[in-house]
Amino acid sequence: MLRNKKTNLSSYAAGRYRRGLASIVTSGIILSAVSIMGVMLLGWSQTSISEQKQEMNDVYNTQMNKINEKLVYENIWFALPAGLMTANHLNVTVANIGILGLNVTTIQITNTTGTNNTSFSYHYTNGGVVTGDALSFNATYPWQSTDELDVRIFTSRGNQFFSTVIAP
């Protein structure tokens, strides 16, 4: 029986030794797994932050460019049919007084007189205006004397420039 106790003590000591080694190996595996996941998470967060930073920079630049666009109506002429023009028309001259060049894409003319709320849009593909320069657009519009017209110019950056005129 004494021999049996000795065997139990040696197997107990051997089991304890294995249990200590197993916990060290397990701890090492867990530490390396956590380290790898940490490095991967850090790499992912850096990529995500870089993308967000670039997106914020793009939005900021776009908004600043929109703020720096400045267009002024120099003159709006009402013209009767003459020569090649067979209907009443408007000649709209605008000047770019901003610090950026801009591109006029659409001129919208709306008649706001009484119940006659008609609206026409004229699209332009070559409406670039450099800084300090002026540009004239011709728009056929069936205006009549004393019509109140809203003239709205849209740029490629999404800005709108507005003026109201009364036909002679």
Side-chain angles (χ1 to χ4, degrees):
M1 186 95 151
L2 188 59
R3 194 173 202 193
N4 196 7
K5 281 187 177 183
K6 193 175 192 183
T7 308
N8 283 342
L9 286 176
S10 64
S11 68
Y12 177 71
R16 188 175 195 108
Y17 175 73
R18 280 192 204 140
R19 201 175 311 150
L21 185 60
S23 64
I24 292 172
V25 171
T26 304
S27 297
I29 292 171
I30 290 174
L31 282 174
S32 56
V34 168
S35 298
I36 291 170
M37 287 190 304
V39 168
M40 291 173 58
L41 183 63
L42 184 64
W44 171 79
S45 67
Q46 288 294 354
T47 303
S48 178
I49 288 171
S50 295
E51 289 173 1
Q52 289 177 357
K53 181 181 175 184
Q54 182 62 40
E55 186 177 330
M56 286 172 42
N57 195 20
D58 291 344
V59 168
Y60 173 78
N61 288 335
T62 300
Q63 295 304 320
M64 285 305 295
N65 287 342
K66 284 179 80 169
I67 289 171
N68 289 326
E69 273 189 346
K70 291 184 178 53
L71 195 65
V72 173
Y73 287 88
E74 283 192 345
N75 207 344
I76 298 176
W77 291 286
F78 292 90
L80 296 171
L84 297 175
M85 300 299 284
T86 59
N88 290 351
H89 55 279
L90 295 172
N91 189 333
V92 180
T93 301
V94 292
N96 182 2
I97 61 170
I99 61 173
L100 294 174
L102 56 87
N103 191 19
V104 174
T105 57
T106 307
I107 294 179
Q108 181 181 25
I109 301 170
T110 306
N111 188 344
T112 59
T113 306
T115 59
N116 188 16
N117 288 336
T118 56
S119 181
F120 292 93
S121 291
Y122 304 95
H123 301 284
Y124 296 94
T125 56
N126 192 15
V129 186
V130 297
T131 301
D133 203 4
L135 192 60
S136 290
F137 298 96
N138 195 359
T140 302
Y141 185 82
W143 59 268
Q144 296 177 1
S145 187
T146 69
D147 280 351
E148 184 175 322
L149 305 177
D150 289 339
V151 180
R152 191 176 306 251
I153 293 181
F154 297 90
T155 66
S156 59
R157 290 187 181 105
N159 280 340
Q160 299 179 32
F161 298 94
F162 179 78
S163 181
T164 301
V165 292
I166 297 176

